[in-house]
Amino acid sequence: MTSGTPGPATGTTGGPELVDAVAETVRAVPGVHDLHGGVLGEVGTYLPGRRVAGVRLTDDGCDLHIAATRVAPLADTVRAVRAAVRPLVTGRIDVTVEDVVA
């Protein structure tokens, strides 16, 4: 893609740019405090020299784990995350709320 903006992709074919775009998009959703690596830190993507916690791209979509705020009902926040990420990732978008932050 010549625009510099990652387009819809699945799996790891989007590379670091897609992972970073998904992470940035999720963090910008009202009601999301931050991404969350899971109970044991098992959810994330390893990139050269770093790890992006809370984002896992798969062959059929992505898994996103978040810490939510009490700004909106959790179901609304989850729907907003899916809608925000939909232009970037095709396939299923699983969102897990790992924590709620006051």
Side-chain angles (χ1 to χ4, degrees), residues 5-91:
T5 304
T10 58
T12 56
T13 60
E17 297 83 12
L18 178 60
V19 173
D20 288 336
V22 168
E24 183 178 318
T25 299
V26 171
R27 286 185 180 115
V29 172
V32 174
H33 174 71
D34 204 354
L35 291 160
H36 193 290
V39 176
L40 300 174
E42 70 277 10
V43 181
T45 300
Y46 288 94
L47 299 175
R50 63 192 172 101
R51 181 175 184 272
V52 179
V55 176
R56 181 187 304 145
L57 299 181
T58 64
D59 290 337
D60 60 347
C62 69
D63 295 322
L64 305 170
H65 289 235
I66 64 170
T69 65
R70 296 182 185 184
V71 170
L74 293 179
D76 292 348
T77 300
V78 168
R79 277 192 291 275
V81 167
R82 283 192 184 116
V85 173
R86 177 59 56 208
L88 301 174
V89 178
T90 58

